[in-house]
Amino acid sequence: MSALESIRSIVDYDGEVGKITQFLEKFAGGSNGKKAAMADGDEAMDGEQQTGKARSKYVGVLQRVANCAEDTVEIALDDVRAFEVEQSSGHPPFAFASSLAYRIEHNTRCYVELFSRAVDALMPEPEAGAQSEQDADVLDVIFRARRDRDRRDREALRTFDKEVARAAGAQGVGGAAGEPESFPAVLTRRYTLRFVPRAAQKAQAVREVGASQIGHLVTVRGIVTRVSDVRPAMVVAAYLCDACGSEVFQEVKTRQFTPLTQCASQRCVENKSRGKLHRQTRSSRFLRFQEVKLQEMTDQVPMGDIPRTLTIHCVEGTVRTLSPGDVAHVAGVFLPQPYTGFRAMRAGLLADTLLEAHHIRPLKRRYDEMAAELTPEMHMRLAQLMRDPDVYGRVAQAIAPEIFGHEDVKRALLLLLVGAPTKRTNDGMAIRGDINICLMGDPGVAKSQLLRFVAKVAPRGVYTTGRGSSGAGLTAAVMRDAVTGEMVLEGGALVLADNGICAIDEFDKMDENDRTAIHEVMEQQTISISKAGITTTLNARTAILAAANPARSRYNPRMTPEENINLPAALLSRFDVLFLMLDRPSHEDDLMLARHVAW
């Protein structure tokens, strides 16, 4: 077995910290960092002149963190790239592969620590009156007491050394004055540092992220299928020695760790005693932790393949950002996760993968969130549209414009997308405002295309088929949590479509037992679960859009509607609107359809 020689790293990390400090102190750009990154030399010179006059963007962020107004420091890689271009004005432009932003993208976790060191050095003192003693956090009070204790100990030790030196006739040397603090820097950081990816970085599918991107900052697009509870995750464990009274800290960097049992402080070593350590939960550092399952979108899955899932770890500011059914771009560090226990024995050298979330951008938002970001031009267009007497018809024509005809169906689908507020009576009873629509008709009348369009346009839409869905897949299934091993509920299509639209195609081909699972959803908009010792009620405030074929594939005019519509009366009564879309042979209609397709 041959041994390879070790290679020393040629990266000057002290120099990198210096560049980072310069960036945090001097960068004065705002949201136009991307524009500055593409600017030429003259614009970069102007940016340098403005930098000296304006206050640094990140100095203000650090001041708000020191005042406990914020707990997150977000570093935009577009700002890093823009600052490098400004600093290189007058020199030949350098490639992105040799820039600091490139090194951050390809070694993100290391640069999180380097940026944290620079932030710790630049962290200002809190402003007067920024936080009162009543609003102070428990750890802030403990840190302040520890700093005062360490300062008194160093002053007492310095005074003792001077007296000993004076008694010996020598010059006093304060050896204890420069000793570091008795607790690690991770314990004192009251912020979380995250990177925002470049705007030019494209989002990938889960199956496109490979082993070559381990440790890189990648962006993944998908739909959230499962979200765990927010739990505390220990990052620093604090212990108290019963013999010497010293505090011992242990950094936790893995999911499983072995707690310390014996004290190894200098006092116990001098006294030749190994005191027993007791964990102090109040002095330990915990972070909010949440696990999210992100699944590939339908358009990202090749024909015949199964959608792949990626585990997302959210910490502190990124928790409670995603809900089941959300479609989002998640940027984070792609890392391996070794198996533990018996799974490690079976897996051997294999490891699971995860993504440490740094930045989350939801793609489908609610109407009120989109309305809050309307531009003045969009407000003007909406005002012009409101003055149109036929605004209802014009907006309805924008629904699936490639499909010819079906004006009444499109008007109903517009009302389905808009919805109505839920009313509550004086006695607390809720009356749903969403409507349920069933499209019953012959094959080839674009029922499935209408369903796909509505599910795509809706802020939250889920598309499924009757043959490929089960009762548990529509409502909820009992799963075992991979983190805690407890039995948890994983929401189905109707739960994922909460506050949205659930489109169910081939509704007539669904099994009768599975079809009865949506009776409660269509009327009460809730799902009652009593499985595996879990008894709860889930919200399913969704509008259902179903498409079905008649009893004999085509509608038979010689038969009554009850004989053609192959649905039970209990389910049929829960649909507010039922459309019969028939394909009647007509020369004029076929000619108009051909012109619509050809033109």
Side-chain angles (χ1 to χ4, degrees):
M1 183 176 178
S2 59
L4 298 177
E5 295 182 0
S6 61
I7 302 176
R8 292 190 60 187
S9 175
I10 60 175
V11 180
D12 182 12
Y13 288 109
D14 293 336
E16 294 288 278
V17 174
K19 295 178 182 179
I20 293 170
T21 304
Q22 185 180 13
F23 161 73
L24 295 175
E25 289 179 334
K26 297 184 178 181
F27 182 75
S31 59
N32 57 348
K34 182 174 66 174
K35 298 180 182 179
M38 297 183 293
D40 53 15
D42 296 335
E43 293 178 354
M45 289 293 293
D46 297 338
E48 280 188 355
Q49 296 174 1
Q50 296 175 2
T51 303
K53 300 178 181 179
R55 183 183 180 183
S56 173
K57 169 184 175 181
Y58 292 98
V59 168
V61 173
L62 298 185
Q63 185 62 59
R64 291 192 294 272
V65 171
N67 297 338
C68 297
E70 295 182 5
D71 59 355
T72 303
V73 178
E74 287 191 343
I75 307 296
L77 295 188
D78 284 328
D79 294 345
V80 177
R81 178 61 176 164
F83 181 75
E84 289 181 303
V85 173
E86 290 178 1
Q87 295 298 314
S88 64
S89 59
H91 301 281
F94 57 92
F96 175 71
S98 59
S99 63
L100 177 61
Y102 176 84
R103 295 194 293 273
I104 294 175
E105 281 188 0
H106 288 72
N107 194 7
T108 309
R109 225 178 184 190
C110 176
Y111 277 90
V112 167
E113 180 61 28
L114 296 181
F115 267 86
S116 298
R117 294 182 196 172
V119 169
D120 292 341
L122 296 176
M123 186 64 67
E125 293 293 332
E127 297 176 348
Q131 187 181 25
S132 61
E133 290 292 336
Q134 291 79 9
D135 299 333
D137 191 76
V138 175
L139 286 179
D140 294 333
V141 178
I142 295 176
F143 293 156
R144 193 179 302 116
R146 286 170 179 165
R147 291 192 181 97
D148 295 341
R149 183 202 63 189
D150 290 347
R151 187 182 67 256
R152 290 193 301 268
D153 291 346
R154 286 195 294 267
E155 290 178 354
L157 186 59
R158 190 185 302 112
T159 304
F160 177 76
D161 290 342
K162 288 182 179 179
E163 293 178 355
V164 171
R166 189 182 301 110
Q171 296 292 331
V173 179
E179 291 184 358
E181 293 182 332
S182 60
F183 38 91
V186 182
L187 194 65
T188 61
R189 288 171 184 162
R190 310 302 294 146
Y191 62 88
T192 305
L193 194 138
R194 299 200 304 263
F195 289 110
V196 179
R198 295 180 298 117
Q201 187 175 7
K202 296 182 179 180
Q204 300 175 281
V206 174
R207 64 181 65 241
E208 294 176 357
V209 183
S212 60
Q213 295 174 296
I214 292 290
H216 294 189
L217 184 68
V218 299
T219 304
V220 182
R221 180 172 72 98
I223 182 171
V224 179
T225 58
R226 191 198 311 176
V227 175
S228 69
D229 297 334
V230 179
R231 301 185 180 93
M234 180 182 292
V235 292
V236 176
Y239 302 90
L240 184 64
C241 180
D242 59 358
C244 64
S246 300
E247 280 184 310
V248 180
F249 299 98
Q250 178 187 14
E251 291 192 34
V252 181
K253 298 183 179 180
T254 57
R255 292 181 58 182
Q256 296 181 350
F257 74 103
T258 303
L260 301 178
T261 56
Q262 291 183 341
C263 180
S265 62
Q266 185 177 0
R267 295 180 182 178
C268 283
V269 172
E270 292 176 353
N271 297 334
K272 296 182 180 181
S273 63
R274 305 299 295 270
K276 187 177 180 180
L277 295 178
H278 300 274
R279 188 187 302 179
Q280 302 294 315
T281 305
R282 192 180 182 87
S283 303
S284 302
R285 177 76 185 278
F286 294 88
L287 299 179
R288 291 172 294 170
F289 173 81
Q290 188 179 39
E291 187 177 86
V292 177
K293 293 291 184 180
L294 191 74
Q295 183 177 290
E296 286 180 317
M297 299 293 295
T298 307
D299 56 348
Q300 298 174 333
V301 182
M303 188 65 65
D305 286 9
I306 299 176
R308 298 186 182 180
T309 305
L310 182 64
T311 302
I312 310 294
H313 283 184
C314 301
V315 178
E316 285 296 306
T318 56
V319 301
R320 295 190 179 95
T321 307
L322 297 172
S323 300
D326 290 345
V327 179
H329 282 178
V330 182
V333 188
F334 187 62
L335 297 172
Q337 183 181 21
Y339 293 103
T340 57
F342 291 103
R343 297 184 63 186
M345 299 174 60
R346 294 196 307 265
L349 300 179
L350 300 180
D352 198 2
T353 55
L354 60 91
L355 193 73
E356 283 188 354
H358 275 236
H359 184 259
I360 297 175
R361 183 169 66 91
L363 297 182
K364 286 191 174 184
R365 296 168 295 173
R366 296 193 301 245
Y367 288 128
D368 54 354
E369 296 177 355
M370 292 186 288
E373 300 180 0
L374 290 179
T375 60
E377 293 79 9
M378 297 179 69
H379 278 290
M380 292 178 59
R381 294 186 61 183
L382 289 175
Q384 295 176 0
L385 194 61
M386 291 172 59
R387 291 191 293 267
D388 191 346
D390 191 25
V391 58
Y392 183 30
R394 288 191 57 186
V395 178
Q397 291 176 1
I399 295 180
E402 70 277 1
I403 298 176
F404 174 74
H406 305 306
E407 287 81 5
D408 294 337
V409 177
K410 293 181 179 180
R411 288 171 182 262
L413 295 180
L414 175 60
L415 298 179
L416 179 75
L417 285 169
V418 175
T422 301
K423 294 184 179 180
R424 290 192 175 274
T425 59
N426 296 330
D427 56 354
M429 181 181 296
I431 302 176
R432 61 181 175 88
D434 301 318
I435 61 175
N436 302 319
I437 298 178
C438 179
L439 305 181
M440 176 77 67
D442 298 332
V445 292
K447 299 189 300 297
S448 300
Q449 294 298 326
L450 289 172
L451 262 66
R452 288 187 177 273
F453 181 86
V454 171
K456 182 179 180 181
V457 171
R460 175 174 291 187
V462 177
Y463 178 86
T464 183
T465 59
R467 180 63 68 182
S469 301
S470 63
L474 288 175
T475 56
V478 178
M479 307 288 292
R480 187 175 295 276
D481 193 352
V483 179
T484 61
E486 300 176 354
M487 302 301 293
V488 295
L489 287 177
E490 183 173 357
L494 296 174
V495 180
L496 296 180
D498 187 31
N499 288 322
I501 295 174
C502 181
I504 306 176
D505 202 359
E506 306 292 344
F507 194 65
D508 57 304
K509 298 178 179 59
M510 186 182 299
D511 188 74
E512 184 64 29
N513 297 327
D514 300 332
R515 197 186 294 161
T516 56
I518 66 175
H519 284 189
E520 181 187 1
V521 178
M522 297 181 67
E523 190 60 39
Q524 304 297 330
Q525 293 194 324
T526 57
I527 297 176
S528 300
I529 298 294
S530 180
K531 300 178 180 179
I534 301 174
T535 303
T536 183
T537 300
L538 304 178
N539 288 324
R541 297 158 294 185
T542 176
I544 293 180
L545 175 61
N549 291 329
R552 300 182 181 179
S553 296
R554 295 185 65 88
Y555 191 87
N556 190 354
R558 297 184 179 90
M559 299 172 58
T560 61
E562 291 81 7
E563 295 174 344
N564 280 292
I565 300 174
N566 189 21
L567 292 176
L571 183 62
L572 198 60
S573 63
R574 284 172 167 80
F575 284 105
D576 303 294
V577 184
L578 175 64
F579 282 100
L580 289 178
M581 306 173 65
L582 306 182
D583 185 14
R584 294 191 178 96
S586 174
H587 177 73
E588 291 78 8
D589 293 343
D590 294 344
L591 182 59
M592 295 176 63
L593 177 60
R595 289 175 178 172
H596 177 80
V597 173
W599 292 351

